[in-house]
Amino acid sequence: MRLWRRNIQLRVVASTLLLSMAVVLVLGVVVVGQVRNGLLEAKRQTAQSQADGGFAVAEDLAVDADERGDSGAAPAVDAGTWLNNIVEQLASGGQGVYYVVALSSDQVPFGPDDGPAPPRGTRSMGDIQAAESISAEMRQSLDGSSTTYRQYGTVVRENGETEAALIIGKRLPDNEGNQYQLYYLFPFTQEEKSLSLVTGTLATAGLFLVALLGAIAWLVVRQVVTPVRMAAGIAERLAAGRLQERMKVSGEDDIARLGESFNKMARNLQTQIQQLEELSRMQRRFVSDVSHELRTPLTTVRMAADLIHEARGDFEPATARSAELLLSQLDRFESLLGDLLEISRFDAGAAHLEAEPTDLRDVVHRVVEGAEPLAERKGGRLLVRGDGAPVVAEVDPRRIERVLRNLVVNAIEHGEGGNVVVRLAAGRDGQAVAVAVRDYGIGLRPGEAERVFNRFWRADPARARTTGGTGLGLSIATEDARLHGGLLEAWGEPGGGAQFRLTLPCTVGARPRRSPLPLEPDDSRARRAVRSGAIAGARAISAGAAEGNGHPVGRDPGSSASSGASSGGEGGHEQR
């Protein structure tokens, strides 16, 4: 089945063979039917002509014998001998082409009442059983009429063999005026041989024709499929980065024009990709060079700003405030410069991992302790869950701490004063660990969970950054997760907060198949289930009220559950 789905040449050839066999079969049936009908018609006409001639001869001989007997010109011959002579004379010219049979008739009384009884029985020539070959129905038909009857039947030979035949019979008088039945039996031996020869010839020619059509289809399809397969292979190699691959073009037909167009497309792609790569290298080099070059003037400006900031007490209030703003913006500028340098190292592939076995609980606690002052100013708390058991993995502590600090600070900033919950978990199979940071703030709109990791992307451009973010934190966090072989994912809903999940392998180089923590928080799933149940309950109550013709009904039990779930967040700050 896989070969059938993937190989168009096989499908075309197989379809051609099947259709050709169907056409040849239909034509063969039609031709054999026409030949059979033609042979039967020719046999019928020939047999009828021969039988009519034999019947006429028998009638003439009976009349002649009767006239000679009445005139005394010849001695009288008894009816039995006369019938034997008639059958022998009529069958002498058949030579296996036909058989002659004479049977007695019960329709007309035989001779005068006082005369001798006429001979009864069967007269035939050849190795056939006459009584079994001629049906009783035909004998009765001949006794009831003096016309000629024709019927398709079966000749039964003395050795038990049977053969289809055309039987023609007529009731005639013998030399004494007694009635008897004369039959001509024409076997279809020659016709069956002819029909078998025609059928065999048609079958052989049909098989040869089907094989020839299959070979033609295979050759024709091969001429079309081979360039397509070549183009598919070259396209795969182009996608793998081998941009110098080209199709071999020969001739001027449609396939050749396709190859030329494909090669032109490959050249244009190679040129554009090379230009983009060169531009990307120039951009990375520019960012790296500018970041390094800015280090020296930034250090000088930092020293001057520190001196001015220390002496701000001697300045006027406006000047002192300017010194504070200058120092804060220098801090932000220095952070941005550090992030740009880190991004440039990731782009250049120069980032290195210094992994060591680390208990992530220690990293989380350091991050939480450092972010608690910010959380207190925002009016919320930082809660840690799942730190009762060790969560150990081979990681770079500096990079993981930077990732978690970025996630926690972002959760506090966008948490709208609510609690921030940090969860840790280790997989039961010992393959992965996970850290999830949950907030109950403004959340994320549909589609933003993928774009939130883009560089300098902001969910709300009009929203001011109170913590001095650079817009590169989540991008750097994603690169740090990939450097560990892990994954950083985001979930959010409008008004329901957001959760960022960091999944890391326990050992360097491994690839975790699943995360120990769900991406969507349990409280969000429970709230959605309660909301769905409340909607279903409200619909049921509305239907019951309609059936009750407006009578008062009990309070919806789902309403209290829904309201309770909506206000049951971590620390009571989930309610919106």
Side-chain angles (χ1 to χ4, degrees):
M1 292 302 297
R2 185 171 179 268
L3 181 63
W4 176 265
R5 292 192 302 268
R6 294 173 60 91
N7 196 326
I8 188 174
Q9 186 174 4
L10 175 62
R11 293 201 303 271
V12 172
V13 173
S15 301
T16 303
L17 289 176
L18 291 176
L19 294 176
S20 301
M21 290 178 62
V23 172
V24 169
L25 183 61
V26 172
L27 291 178
V29 171
V30 173
V31 171
V32 170
Q34 294 293 332
V35 171
R36 178 177 179 274
N37 294 334
L39 291 175
L40 288 177
E41 182 64 22
K43 185 70 173 181
R44 186 190 64 79
Q45 294 179 358
T46 303
Q48 187 68 50
S49 176
Q50 291 178 348
D52 291 341
F55 296 151
V57 170
E59 289 180 351
D60 293 341
L61 291 177
V63 171
D64 293 341
D66 186 40
E67 291 178 353
R68 287 195 301 269
D70 293 342
S71 62
V77 180
D78 65 281
T81 304
W82 185 85
L83 281 177
N84 289 334
N85 294 335
I86 287 295
V87 170
E88 183 179 357
Q89 181 179 354
L90 294 178
S92 61
Q95 299 179 354
V97 178
Y98 58 86
Y99 303 97
V100 178
V101 176
L103 298 177
S104 60
S105 175
D106 297 332
Q107 182 66 23
V108 180
F110 288 86
D113 294 338
D114 54 353
R120 296 173 116 4
T122 302
R123 272 79 175 174
S124 63
M125 296 297 295
D127 58 342
I128 65 171
Q129 297 182 11
E132 287 77 7
S133 300
I134 299 173
S135 64
E137 178 184 0
M138 188 172 185
R139 297 185 62 181
Q140 293 177 1
S141 299
L142 261 66
D143 286 338
S145 175
S146 59
T147 58
T148 303
Y149 276 84
R150 182 176 61 247
Q151 186 183 57
Y152 293 105
T154 302
V155 174
V156 181
R157 300 185 182 276
E158 293 180 353
N159 56 6
E161 296 180 356
T162 59
E163 185 179 7
L166 175 62
I167 303 174
I168 302 176
K170 187 176 183 181
R171 182 164 55 85
L172 300 171
D174 60 7
N175 60 337
E176 296 180 356
N178 299 314
Q179 300 293 316
Y180 71 98
Q181 297 177 352
L182 184 62
Y183 295 93
Y184 274 80
L185 285 74
F186 297 90
F188 289 118
T189 304
Q190 189 63 36
E191 286 73 16
E192 288 182 350
K193 291 181 179 180
S194 300
L195 189 62
S196 299
L197 178 62
V198 171
T199 304
T201 303
L202 288 176
T204 304
L207 291 177
F208 179 76
L209 179 61
V210 169
L212 182 61
L213 290 176
I216 293 174
W218 184 80
L219 291 175
V220 173
V221 176
R222 180 180 175 84
Q223 294 180 358
V224 178
V225 171
T226 300
V228 175
R229 290 177 177 172
M230 184 185 303
I234 294 176
E236 292 177 355
R237 292 192 287 272
L238 288 174
R242 300 168 60 180
L243 302 178
Q244 72 279 2
E245 292 289 335
R246 298 293 184 271
M247 285 186 64
K248 182 179 178 180
V249 179
S250 59
E252 299 179 356
D253 54 6
D254 296 334
I255 301 297
R257 290 199 297 271
L258 174 63
E260 293 176 356
S261 301
F262 187 90
N263 292 338
K264 183 177 180 181
M265 178 191 68
R267 286 193 296 268
N268 293 336
L269 286 176
Q270 183 180 15
T271 302
Q272 293 180 6
I273 291 175
Q274 290 176 350
Q275 292 176 354
L276 292 175
E277 289 179 348
E278 183 66 24
L279 179 61
S280 178
R281 285 194 296 268
M282 292 177 60
Q283 289 177 343
R284 290 197 299 267
R285 184 174 180 180
F286 174 77
V287 172
S288 179
D289 293 344
V290 169
S291 301
H292 283 87
E293 292 297 329
L294 287 177
R295 281 292 185 181
T296 301
L298 180 61
T299 303
T300 304
V301 174
R302 161 67 70 178
M303 295 173 59
D306 289 339
L307 292 175
I308 295 174
H309 186 266
E310 291 177 358
R312 69 184 184 279
D314 300 333
F315 301 154
E316 296 180 357
T319 306
R321 178 57 180 165
S322 299
E324 294 177 355
L325 292 175
L326 175 62
L327 187 64
S328 65
Q329 293 303 313
L330 278 175
D331 291 337
R332 185 175 179 181
F333 183 55
E334 190 174 11
S335 176
L336 175 61
L337 189 60
D339 290 345
L340 288 175
L341 286 173
E342 190 68 22
I343 286 291
S344 65
R345 281 193 288 269
F346 280 120
D347 291 340
H352 299 287
L353 190 66
E354 299 178 359
E356 61 184 31
T358 304
D359 192 344
L360 296 185
R361 296 181 299 175
D362 300 334
V363 180
V364 170
H365 289 155
R366 289 198 301 268
V367 172
V368 169
E369 290 175 1
E372 278 182 350
L374 178 61
E376 292 177 357
R377 289 198 302 269
K378 288 290 186 178
R381 293 187 301 164
L382 290 175
L383 305 176
V384 180
R385 300 286 186 265
D387 57 345
V391 183
V392 181
E394 293 182 359
V395 297
D396 189 337
R398 179 183 63 86
R399 294 183 182 275
I400 297 303
E401 184 174 349
R402 180 171 60 188
V403 173
L404 296 179
R405 183 182 300 110
N406 185 277
L407 296 180
V408 170
V409 171
N410 283 344
I412 295 173
E413 183 178 358
H414 297 88
E416 301 293 327
N419 291 344
V420 175
V421 183
V422 182
R423 288 184 173 85
L424 297 93
R428 296 180 179 179
D429 54 1
Q431 294 185 355
V433 296
V435 180
V437 180
R438 171 80 158 106
D439 68 78
Y440 298 92
I442 58 177
L444 296 173
R445 291 187 291 269
E448 292 182 348
E450 291 79 14
R451 299 195 302 269
V452 73
F453 299 105
N454 295 339
R455 298 177 183 180
F456 299 106
W457 185 85
R458 298 173 65 179
D460 187 3
R463 184 181 177 88
R465 294 186 185 273
T466 60
T467 57
T470 62
L472 295 174
L474 289 178
S475 299
I476 297 175
T478 302
E479 297 296 338
D480 282 332
R482 291 175 181 171
L483 189 62
H484 284 80
L487 185 62
L488 181 60
E489 301 169 279
W491 168 90
E493 60 181 3
Q499 175 166 292
F500 287 79
R501 182 183 67 182
L502 174 64
T503 305
L504 299 172
C506 292
T507 57
V508 177
R511 294 291 178 181
R513 297 181 179 179
R514 54 181 303 177
S515 179
L517 291 174
L519 181 59
E520 183 180 359
D522 294 336
D523 55 355
S524 175
R525 289 200 299 268
R527 185 170 59 252
R528 188 171 63 252
V530 170
R531 189 183 301 116
S532 301
I535 293 175
R539 291 178 178 174
I541 291 174
S542 300
E547 293 178 359
N549 197 17
H551 289 288
V553 295
R555 183 171 177 265
D556 182 9
S559 60
S560 61
S562 178
S563 61
S566 64
S567 61
E570 294 284 353
H573 289 272
E574 188 181 357
Q575 183 178 2
R576 293 290 179 263

